[in-house]
Amino acid sequence: MADLEKLPVTIVTGFLGSGKTTLISELMKNPGGKRLAVVVNEFGDVGVDGEILKGCAIPDCPAENVVELANGCICCTVADDFIPTIEALLALDPRPEHILIETSGLALPKPLLKAFDWPDIRSKITVDGVVALADAEAVAAGRFAPDVEAVDAQRRADESIDHETPLSEVFEDQISCADIVLLTKPDLAGKDGVEKARAVIAAEAPRPLPVVEVAEGHVDPRIILGIGAAAEDDIDARPSHHDGVPEHDHEDFESVVIDIPELASPADLAARIERLAREQNILRVKGYASVAGKPMRLLVQAVGARVRHQFDRPWGPDEARAGRLVVIAEHDDIDAAAITRVLTAAEETA
């Protein structure tokens, strides 16, 4: 790559648990011949996603090319975090040929696009494309209804449900900013669910967007790398609910970090998380746990009541066998004391 050529950057956005980390780990394994670097923006201070990706490191994307930013939304900390991180990646030898940025599930992509206009980096990098991941099952279930009539019908059926939450705005902003949408977990949605999800995305998109079904993060890198969108020069064509607002924040959401004792079994923890989703509207749980009698650490990822867990690596000889979970919800649903009681109770009750 010539020194004067702008380095392409792909922004990977998507709602909580949509499969961003899975996608990027697969791209790291199959980069299409490109030397990659990855920036991971976590929400909460347990670096789950970054550690997973570093564990996938290969010669074309070594561990030192994977950078975590866990101190808040990168579009809110441009000068302190984002610019120095990009400059450090540009200074690597050998230099990356493409950078992937995994945003937090709560991030709005358009303010991040604006960060690419900063004088320190605007002549050096370009947004090759914005890739939005959408959970086919969640979209098909009507959690982000695309038209007023459908929302009103659902409200009449159940007045306790408010479908115009900040979550819907996050989803809509991500779709509006995208150059391509990856529809994940199509097997869980089924054929009819996938078609419903496609219809919702088409209704939200401000322009026709390609929508590609993706299972377990497997996608030909040629589809999403090398788009050449120069999205930083095309911001006005990417409408947002927050247009005209001078600054944005994430006060609609909150996270707490809970230290948990050793578990009797993974099923016990899954039951606790399902209870949190059911009783306290918890959106996302991710982190690690220790299971009695097991030499390996348990990796935990949950979206609502859908809990996935696997043993990812052995505990180190000098490593404390302790569990830590990041719990994310809308601001009014975060009750740290109640969450702690459920996750740390001596015995889970039905």
Side-chain angles (χ1 to χ4, degrees), residues 44-115:
D45 63 0
V46 177
V48 177
D49 296 343
E51 186 159 343
I52 292 172
L53 292 176
K54 288 179 181 178
C56 299
I58 60 172
D60 280 336
C61 189
E64 59 267 27
N65 285 29
V66 181
V67 181
E68 289 180 82
L69 297 178
N71 298 320
C73 172
I74 51 179
C75 51
C76 300
T77 58
V78 173
D80 294 335
D81 289 321
F82 180 61
I83 300 299
T85 296
I86 294 298
E87 290 179 332
L89 291 177
L90 290 172
L92 288 173
D93 186 14
R95 185 187 185 193
E97 296 171 318
H98 204 112
I99 297 175
L100 306 176
I101 298 179
E102 178 189 343
T103 68
S104 155
L106 303 175
L108 303 175
K110 190 168 180 176
L112 177 56
L113 283 182
K114 294 179 180 178

Side-chain angles (χ1 to χ4, degrees), residues 134-154:
D135 183 312
E137 185 184 39
V139 176
R143 297 172 193 167
F144 306 102
D147 62 80
V148 174
E149 287 187 19
V151 172
D152 287 343
Q154 290 173 337

Side-chain angles (χ1 to χ4, degrees), residues 9-344:
V9 177
T10 294
I11 297 173
V12 180
T13 185
F15 194 63
L16 298 167
S18 59
K20 299 186 299 297
T21 303
T22 300
L23 172 72
I24 291 177
S25 66
E26 288 298 320
L27 285 172
M28 289 171 64
K29 298 171 189 174
N30 180 27
K34 297 180 183 295
R35 188 165 53 250
L36 300 180
V38 179
V39 178
V40 184
N41 189 203
E42 294 270 25
F43 189 86
D45 63 0
V46 177
V48 177
D49 296 343
E51 186 159 343
I52 292 172
L53 292 176
K54 288 179 181 178
C56 299
I58 60 172
D60 280 336
C61 189
E64 59 267 27
N65 285 29
V66 181
V67 181
E68 289 180 82
L69 297 178
N71 298 320
C73 172
I74 51 179
C75 51
C76 300
T77 58
V78 173
D80 294 335
D81 289 321
F82 180 61
I83 300 299
T85 296
I86 294 298
E87 290 179 332
L89 291 177
L90 290 172
L92 288 173
D93 186 14
R95 185 187 185 193
E97 296 171 318
H98 204 112
I99 297 175
L100 306 176
I101 298 179
E102 178 189 343
T103 68
S104 155
L106 303 175
L108 303 175
K110 190 168 180 176
L112 177 56
L113 283 182
K114 294 179 180 178
F116 283 78
D117 196 39
W118 274 57
D120 291 346
I121 61 171
R122 64 187 176 191
S123 64
K124 303 174 184 177
I125 59 175
T126 181
V127 181
D128 179 68
V130 179
V131 179
L133 276 65
D135 183 312
E137 185 184 39
V139 176
R143 297 172 193 167
F144 306 102
D147 62 80
V148 174
E149 287 187 19
V151 172
D152 287 343
Q154 290 173 337
R155 282 175 171 169
R156 288 193 296 270
D158 186 350
E159 294 182 356
S160 68
I161 298 177
D162 178 9
H163 291 269
E164 292 303 315
T165 66
L167 299 181
S168 64
E169 293 188 2
V170 172
F171 174 78
E172 292 160 11
D173 278 15
Q174 290 171 348
I175 295 299
S176 294
C177 201
D179 294 290
I180 187 171
V181 178
L182 302 186
L183 203 55
T184 62
K185 307 169 192 174
D187 53 324
L188 297 179
K191 182 178 179 181
D192 290 344
V194 167
E195 291 306 311
K196 289 180 182 177
R198 285 179 174 273
V200 171
I201 291 167
E204 288 299 341
R207 59 197 179 282
L209 289 178
V211 178
V212 179
E213 295 175 39
V214 174
E216 300 297 332
H218 296 296
V219 64
D220 189 325
R222 294 174 298 177
I223 294 175
I224 59 176
L225 303 182
I227 293 175
E232 71 276 15
D233 296 329
D234 189 31
I235 291 178
D236 290 342
R238 302 165 191 262
S240 164
H241 286 281
H242 298 79
D243 286 342
V245 178
E247 296 182 356
H248 80 283
D249 56 45
H250 300 293
E251 292 180 356
D252 294 319
F253 306 97
E254 190 172 339
S255 69
V256 293
V257 179
I258 308 296
D259 294 316
I260 60 174
E262 193 167 66
L263 306 167
S265 70
D268 175 65
L269 180 58
R272 297 169 189 266
I273 294 173
E274 289 167 7
R275 178 179 167 187
L276 287 176
R278 184 174 65 249
E279 298 179 358
Q280 299 189 45
N281 299 320
I282 296 305
L283 300 171
R284 186 83 157 93
V285 178
K286 57 183 179 178
Y288 309 106
S290 173
V291 180
K294 300 295 184 181
M296 300 187 72
R297 187 182 66 174
L298 186 74
L299 173 66
V300 181
Q301 298 268 15
V303 182
R306 187 196 301 163
V307 185
R308 301 179 68 178
H309 50 74
Q310 66 187 62
F311 292 103
D312 69 330
R313 66 166 177 80
W315 290 100
D318 300 321
E319 189 176 12
R321 289 179 57 110
R324 301 195 81 197
L325 298 175
V326 178
V327 181
I328 306 172
E330 292 189 52
H331 179 78
D332 292 343
D333 291 323
I334 284 286
D335 182 336
I339 293 169
T340 301
R341 283 195 297 271
V342 171
L343 291 176
T344 62

